[in-house]
Structure formats: C-alpha cells, structure tokens
Amino acid sequence: MKPDQQKTVTGARATVILYTIAAIISLAGLADAAYLTILALTGETAACGGSTGCFEVLGSIYARIAGIPVAAFGVLGYFAAFLFATFIACGYNRLRRFFTLTVGTMFAMTLWLLYVQAFRLHAYCRYCLFSAALTFLLAGLVVASPAPRD
Amino acid sequence: MKRFLPFVIVAAVALITVGGGALLYRARLAALRAVPKSLTAEEKAELGHLRGDVKAPVTIEEFGDFQCPPCGTLASDMQKLEKLYGPRLRVIFRQYPLAIHNHALEAALASEAAGLQDHFWEMHDLLYREQAIWSKLPDAVALFNGYAGTLGLDLERFKRDMQSPEAKARIAADQKRATSLGVNSTPTLFLNGTKLEFSSVNLAGLSKLIDEATKPKPSPK
C-alpha cells in the first residue's frame, strides 16, 4: 500500500470512529432533551437532588420559545446530529457540512442558555449542564474530525 | 445492505424516541390526573379525602404531613398498594401538618384549596413527589401556585381558597379527629380502624396486613 493510500484508509477509519462517538453522544443528548420535554409537557419539576435550580431554570420564561419548550428544540437538534453522524459514519461524507451546521447552531444556543443560567437566572439545572457538556463534546469532535477528501 | 444501514438505525431511533416518549408522557400524565370520580360531594365531605372503592373491604386512614419525609416515602408505597389491591383497598387522607415543618401548613392549605376545585389527590401526589424541592425553598407558596397552574386550576380562586375559612376548617376537623384518636406523629395509619405500629408502615408490612384482612375467613363447622 502506498503512503497516500494508507493515509486515506487511516483517515476514513478515524472518521468512522469519530462520527460513531458523535452518534452515541447525540443519543445521550436526545434522551436528556426528550426527558426534559416530557417534564415540560406534563408540567412536572425535574428533581435536581436537593437544589431548586431545575425548577428555577425550567420554570423560567427562557425555558420556552413561542410556547414551545426549549428542550423540544434540543430533541430536534440532537436527533439531527445523530442522523448526520450516523450517515457520515456509514460513508455519506457529503453530509458533513450539515452536521457542522447543526452542531454549530446547538453550540451557539448552548452558549446563550449558559449565559441565561449564569447571569440572568443565577441558577443552574443539572440536565441543562449535562446537555451543554454533550454539545461541547460534539463541537470538539467537529473540530477534531479529519478534513474530508473529495 | 451497508447502504441501507444508516436508514435502519435512524428510523429505529426515531421510532424508539417517539414511541418511548409518548408512552412516558401518557404514563406520567395518567399518574398526575388519577382522581376518583365515583363519589358524591356528600360522601367526600363525610369520609374525608378518599381514593378507591367506597365498598372496599380494607380502609387505610392516613394522618399525614406533606413535609414529613417518611410520609413522602409512604406516599409512593401507598400508590403501589392502591394499584396492587385495586377495588379491595380504599385510602383516606387526613391532614396533620406538624408545627416543626415550616411549609407543612401551607402545603396542607394548598391541597385543600386544590380539593375545593376537585383536584385534591392530584395536588396530594404532586406535593409528595416534589417534596424534596419545595421543602427547601424559603417561599414555597409561589411553587404551590405553579403546581395549581400545572394542574389546570383556576389560579386566582386557588390563591383565595388557600386563605379560606373552608380550607382551614377542613384541616382543623382532621386535626380534631387526630386528637380524638391519639395521633401525635406522622405518618399514623389506621387499617380498618386499628392503629398500626410504625414498623408496619411500609410496603411489605402493609401488604401483609391487607392480605390478612382480605383473606377469606374459614366458615364455621
């Protein structure tokens, strides 16, 4: 095998591994966001151990956009990230830009939600922080993934 | 085949998410809205807050405080028992808010105010389920108002009813009954009129007692 070919095979394998990890992270985020969406729809308060952070964050005006729970947008975002990551891991490399776009949007949204928790509500919800960590990991994977070879 | 693999995976995840989410949503909603419909207003007034079949062979009368942690644990056990024994068990809840708990009386009033809009048991379940959260707040009433909104109650009426003589009178009546029965702690339970030892007030202990009470008696020879 020529060095160029070997490089291509190694790059392809790295892509499969990285995007498989991204798909698994997205699944965790999907479960988290889906749980919060269900709580928002039933009107329950998420239990944050002994802290009241979840109630303060999830019950705030920032937890809904046009009446729709923010967590529902999280479900869409994570599902889209999962979809693109799965397809890319299976060789559909042309979807990379959509994955990057999705994760970029989620990253921006996460920064906004962290700002709201830190500076406007002065309260943190553990589920939201978990989701933020997952989005940061996804963003890290986007940066770490090898450049596509067309 | 490999070309179709991502389609299969994504479709499976979508199905699991939607299906699982819908099931979980329905289950939680059903738990929130479980409320007895079979009693008349007179029966309710006479019997206290009752859940289950009026003609059930076993009656558990509970004197509880919404802020007492063992009562919170017992609440989930009681729900399991109600599910397990169905029409064979009825539960009566009576208010016994302890002075040592700073929000107990407010919680009792909130449940009574919800009861005046026929949503006592939903508020009862919600207060116990969320006990760890509101117990630690400096102002729990704001959260109780939020619960009332969650349950679809008329919020203005709920706030008024929390201060109403009717809600206070109902709590006072339960406390009077507690005194007459020698109740001095929570949770105190009576099974078919017999006061239970605290050591029996748990899922296993109560199951055993209910089984004994519902066991068919041997016919005299």
Side-chain angles (χ1 to χ4, degrees), chain A residues 130-150:
Chain A
F130 177 63
S131 176
L134 294 177
T135 302
F136 287 152
L137 278 176
L138 286 176
L141 287 175
V142 167
V143 174
S145 64
R149 289 165 185 279
D150 294 323

Side-chain angles (χ1 to χ4, degrees), chain A residues 27 30 34-35 38-39 41-52 55-56 75 79 82-83 86-87 90 92, chain B residues 2-7 9-10 13-14 17 20-21 24-25 28-29 32 126 129-130 132-133 136-137 143 147 150:
Chain A
L27 269 185
L30 183 63
Y35 177 66
I38 288 164
L39 290 190
L41 293 176
T42 56
E44 290 173 90
T45 312
C48 269
S51 119
T52 59
F55 170 71
E56 288 168 47
V75 170
F79 183 74
F82 170 76
L83 184 146
T86 305
F87 273 88
C90 291
Y92 290 79
Chain B
K2 202 185 166 189
R3 276 178 60 194
F4 297 110
L5 186 63
F7 290 95
I9 294 171
V10 168
V13 167
T17 306
L24 187 61
Y25 173 73
R28 297 192 88 105
L29 209 59
L32 275 172
L126 197 51
R129 191 164 51 242
E130 308 281 302
I133 296 170
K136 293 184 175 67
L137 293 178
L143 192 48
Y147 293 163
T150 298

Side-chain angles (χ1 to χ4, degrees), chain B residues 147-159:
Chain B
Y147 293 163
T150 298
L151 296 175
L153 305 184
D154 176 342
L155 191 56
E156 288 312 310
R157 185 183 160 192
F158 174 81
K159 286 178 186 172

Side-chain angles (χ1 to χ4, degrees), chain A residues 86-128:
Chain A
T86 305
F87 273 88
I88 296 164
C90 291
Y92 290 79
N93 278 312
R94 279 178 297 178
L95 294 175
R96 276 183 177 214
R97 70 188 63 172
F98 293 108
F99 180 76
T100 306
L101 193 67
T102 303
V103 173
T105 310
M106 289 165 68
F107 187 78
M109 190 71 185
T110 297
L111 289 181
W112 162 247
L113 292 174
L114 284 176
Y115 166 79
V116 164
Q117 289 179 79
F119 299 107
R120 297 206 176 176
L121 299 174
H122 305 288
Y124 293 95
C125 167
R126 290 177 197 176
Y127 295 94
C128 309

Side-chain angles (χ1 to χ4, degrees), chain B residues 58 60 74 77-78 81 84-85 89 189-191 196-197 199-213:
Chain B
V58 178
I60 291 180
L74 178 67
D77 288 344
M78 291 299 284
L81 289 170
L84 189 66
Y85 290 96
L89 173 66
L189 268 61
F190 292 82
L191 191 145
L196 302 183
E197 291 296 321
S199 57
S200 312
V201 180
N202 52 57
L203 188 60
L206 289 170
S207 277
K208 195 177 159 198
L209 291 169
I210 295 168
D211 286 339
E212 281 169 12

Side-chain angles (χ1 to χ4, degrees), chain B residues 38-152:
Chain B
S38 56
L39 294 175
T40 63
E42 290 76 24
E43 282 170 330
K44 280 181 187 175
E46 191 184 333
L47 297 170
H49 297 295
L50 188 149
R51 183 150 67 178
D53 196 323
V54 197
K55 292 171 186 159
V58 178
T59 300
I60 291 180
E61 185 175 8
E62 176 192 351
F63 288 84
D65 168 339
F66 287 109
Q67 202 174 348
C68 118
C71 298
T73 311
L74 178 67
S76 87
D77 288 344
M78 291 299 284
Q79 284 182 7
K80 286 176 196 155
L81 289 170
E82 285 171 52
K83 248 182 213 169
L84 189 66
Y85 290 96
R88 288 180 291 162
L89 173 66
R90 69 173 177 172
V91 175
I92 297 172
F93 183 86
R94 297 208 185 266
Q95 307 280 5
Y96 197 69
L98 298 171
I100 52 163
H101 293 139
N102 56 343
H103 297 314
L105 182 59
E106 291 164 344
L109 287 166
S111 69
E112 292 300 338
L116 290 171
Q117 293 187 49
D118 290 329
H119 285 67
F120 172 81
W121 285 103
E122 289 112 317
M123 186 60 90
H124 166 279
D125 294 347
L126 197 51
L127 286 169
Y128 274 134
R129 191 164 51 242
E130 308 281 302
Q131 186 192 62
I133 296 170
W134 57 261
S135 291
K136 293 184 175 67
L137 293 178
D139 174 21
V141 175
L143 192 48
F144 298 156
N145 290 339
Y147 293 163
T150 298
L151 296 175

